[in-house]
Each structure stands twice: as structure tokens, then as C-alpha cells.
């Protein structure tokens, strides 16, 4: 029997994990969802230490301890309703990252441990965790809004993949991700706008709020691209193709959540300001 192709592995992994993600989002209470998301973040944090040049297992576990402490602090922030005050700076931080990525022409190799990247990782990893908890707690449709965010990113990624294969000629960011094309980016934005229209219809909002929802979805997808490209930058600094080997056909956990690290704070803050 011939080996399973990379695309086949991706599909099989998605089919295996998809129902678990769906069940967790729709049926777990916020507290249990926080624990499930924390496990995902900790797996990503382990891979982040590799991107930051940390090789000592003791130091890597120490970093996981710092992330776990962050969970405890941010849970209290979530409980008292201060989430937006911390999510807003995270969104501004991603704006700065996007502006920086737009100017990257070459990527120098990194050596040694990058303490600044370790500190930045706390914001990159903990920000979406808090954002998803705040989004899940929105009444009365929190879990469905989380599902909408997941479907938005999935739709944009799918549109970008097929449009890029069919019409992709000009690279979007050749130094960061040679596989991404401008045609794919345009298709992703079109899919985001369509998702915004559907979301506005489902929430039964007026024309102004509907237009705002379309804009939120489009900006969320732009942020997801920034999150993807930022992780690509970090991997290329270390000469890595994937952040890990946890998920067959998908690479590591960071390779699966890189888009969400930026998208979740943007989407949640946008809805918190609108609804």
C-alpha cells in the first residue's frame, strides 16, 4: 500500500480532531473549555521554547510553569470582566507585528536563547486563550460565536488554498512564506466578507452593525494571516519547517493555532465593542 500523502494525512487528522473540537466548543462549560484550551496552549508553549532557542528540558518545563501561572491570573481577569482591557493591548501588539512583517525582506538566522521572544510568547499564547474564554461567555450565543470564529478561519484558509493553486502567480510574502499568494489572500478576504454577511444575518442586526461585522471578519482574517506569517518567520530564523511533529500532516500544535493567536483577540474585541 502506498504511503498516505501529506494532503491525505492532513484530511485524516482534521477528521479525527474536528468532532472533538466541535464537541468541546459547543458543550463544555466555560471552565472546562478553559482547561481544554490550556492544554492546547501548553503544547504550543513547549514548541515556542524551541523557536526561542531553549534546549534544556528543565528550562522548557519552567516556561510551561510561567504559562500556567498566566492561566491562573487571566482566569481571574476573565471572571471579573476585565478581559477587554487586556485583549485591546494584545490587538495593538499584533498591529505592530503586522507592520513589521510588511517590511521584512530577509530573515537572518538566530542563535542562542532569545529571552525577548520568550516574553513575547506569553502574550501570543495567553492572549487568544483569554479572548476565547471571553467570547465563549457572551450571552446567549457565546459557544456559537466561538464556532463562527473557527469556521471563519477555516473558510478563509480553504478559499486561499484553492485560489492560490488555481490563480496564484504573485507571492504574498516570499521571504516569509513562499506558498502564500496574493490571489489566495484576496480569496480569503472575500470569504471573510461572505462570512460576515452570514453572521450579520444570523444575529439579525441592522445595516450599520452588519457592515461592522463584515469589517470585523475581514480584519480578523488579515490578523490570522499575520499570525501565520509571524510563526513562519520564527521557524525560518531557526531553520525549521514545522514547529513540531505532534499532528500528522499538520506539523506541530503551533502550526495549527498560529492563525488563531492573532485572530481570536481581534474577533473577540471587535464583537465586544459592537454587541
Amino acid at each position: 500500500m502506498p504511503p498516505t500523502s501529506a494532503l491525505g494525512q492532513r484530511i485524516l487528522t482534521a477528521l479525527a480532531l474536528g468532532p472533538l473540537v466541535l464537541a468541546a466548543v459547543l458543550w463544555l462549560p466555560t471552565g472546562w473549555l478553559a482547561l481544554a484550551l490550556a492544554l492546547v496552549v501548553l503544547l504550543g508553549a513547549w514548541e515556542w521554547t524551541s523557536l526561542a532557542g531553549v534546549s534544556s528540558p528543565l528550562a522548557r518545563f519552567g516556561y510551561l510553569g510561567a504559562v500556567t501561572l498566566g492561566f491562573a491570573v487571566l482566569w481571574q481577569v476573565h471572571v471579573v470582566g476585565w478581559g477587554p482591557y487586556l485583549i485591546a493591548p494584545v490587538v495593538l501588539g499584533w498591529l505592530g507585528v503586522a507592520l513589521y512583517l510588511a517590511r521584512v525582506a530577509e530573515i537572518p538566522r538566530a542563535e542562542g536563547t532569545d529571552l525577548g521572544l520568550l516574553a513575547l510568547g506569553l502574550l501570543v499564547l495567553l492572549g487568544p486563550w483569554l479572548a476565547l474564554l471571553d467570547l465563549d461567555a457572551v450571552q446567549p450565543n457565546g459557544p456559537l460565536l466561538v464556532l463562527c470564529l473557527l469556521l471563519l478561519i477555516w473558510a478563509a484558509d480553504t478559499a486561499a488554498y484553492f485560489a492560490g493553486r488555481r490563480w496564484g502567480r504573485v507571492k504574498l510574502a516570499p521571504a516569509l512564506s513562499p506558498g502564500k499568494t496574493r490571489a489566495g489572500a484576496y480569496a480569503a478576504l472575500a470569504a471573510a466578507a461572505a462570512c460576515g454577511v452570514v453572521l450579520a444575518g444570523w444575529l439579525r442586526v441592522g445595516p450599520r452593525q452588519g457592515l461592522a461585522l463584515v469589517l470585523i471578519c475581514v480584519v480578523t482574517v488579515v490578523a490570522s494571516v499575520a499570525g501565520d506569517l509571524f510563526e513562519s518567520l520564527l521557524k525560518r530564523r531557526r531553520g525549521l519547517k514545522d514547529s513540531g511533529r505532534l499532528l500528522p500532516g499538520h506539523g506541530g500544535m503551533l502550526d495549527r493555532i498560529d492563525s488563531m493567536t492573532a485572530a481570536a483577540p481581534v474577533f473577540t474585541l471587535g464583537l465586544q465593542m459592537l454587541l
Side-chain angles (χ1 to χ4, degrees), residues 9 241 249 256:
Q9 288 183 329
K241 181 179 182 295
R256 285 298 86 211

Side-chain angles (χ1 to χ4, degrees), residues 21-89:
V21 173
L22 183 64
V25 168
L26 293 180
W27 296 320
L28 286 182
T30 301
W32 286 103
L33 179 63
L35 291 175
L37 293 175
L39 176 59
V40 172
V41 171
L42 286 173
L43 292 171
W46 180 265
E47 296 171 356
W48 188 273
T49 59
S50 178
L51 297 180
V54 180
S55 57
S56 165
L58 183 61
R60 298 179 79 177
F61 278 113
Y63 190 71
L64 297 191
V67 173
T68 302
L69 179 61
F71 292 143
V73 172
L74 292 184
W75 175 256
Q76 295 303 316
V77 169
H78 165 73
V79 168
V80 300
W82 292 353
Y85 298 106
L86 291 185
I87 295 172

Side-chain angles (χ1 to χ4, degrees), residues 90-147:
V90 173
V91 171
L92 289 177
W94 276 111
L95 175 61
V97 169
L99 294 175
Y100 167 74
L101 292 173
R103 302 198 312 268
V104 172
E106 59 180 347
I107 304 175
R109 288 295 296 270
E111 301 292 341
T113 301
D114 190 335
L115 297 179
L117 188 57
L118 289 174
L120 180 61
L122 296 177
L123 297 178
V124 170
L125 295 167
L126 292 174
W129 184 80
L130 175 62
L132 288 172
L133 295 190
D134 271 16
L135 187 60
D136 183 72
V138 172
Q139 297 297 327
N141 298 312
L144 290 176
L145 290 174
V146 175
L147 180 61

Side-chain angles (χ1 to χ4, degrees), residues 1-14:
M1 179 180 297
T4 305
S5 67
L7 179 59
Q9 288 183 329
R10 290 173 67 91
I11 293 174
L12 290 175
T13 301

Side-chain angles (χ1 to χ4, degrees), residues 66-253:
V67 173
T68 302
L69 179 61
F71 292 143
V73 172
L74 292 184
W75 175 256
Q76 295 303 316
V77 169
H78 165 73
V79 168
V80 300
W82 292 353
Y85 298 106
L86 291 185
I87 295 172
V90 173
V91 171
L92 289 177
W94 276 111
L95 175 61
V97 169
L99 294 175
Y100 167 74
L101 292 173
R103 302 198 312 268
V104 172
E106 59 180 347
I107 304 175
R109 288 295 296 270
E111 301 292 341
T113 301
D114 190 335
L115 297 179
L117 188 57
L118 289 174
L120 180 61
L122 296 177
L123 297 178
V124 170
L125 295 167
L126 292 174
W129 184 80
L130 175 62
L132 288 172
L133 295 190
D134 271 16
L135 187 60
D136 183 72
V138 172
Q139 297 297 327
N141 298 312
L144 290 176
L145 290 174
V146 175
L147 180 61
C148 285
L149 172 59
L150 297 176
L151 292 176
L152 169 63
I153 301 304
W154 175 80
D157 286 347
T158 302
Y161 175 79
F162 286 106
R165 285 176 61 90
R166 177 64 179 84
W167 297 292
R169 298 292 184 273
V170 181
K171 302 300 182 182
L172 178 65
L176 298 172
S177 181
K180 292 189 180 300
T181 65
R182 292 187 181 181
Y186 297 148
L189 296 180
C195 289
V197 172
V198 173
L199 180 58
W202 172 57
L203 294 176
R204 298 182 179 179
V205 298
R208 285 189 177 182
Q209 285 185 309
L211 182 60
L213 279 172
V214 171
L215 180 60
I216 288 170
C217 288
V218 170
V219 174
T220 297
V221 167
V222 172
S224 76
V225 174
D228 192 335
L229 291 177
F230 185 55
E231 198 225 353
S232 294
L233 168 67
L234 299 181
K235 288 188 294 187
R236 279 162 175 73
R237 288 174 73 241
R238 297 290 174 178
L240 300 174
K241 181 179 182 295
D242 297 314
S243 64
R245 301 178 180 177
L246 181 64
L247 303 174
H250 291 266
M253 183 60 70

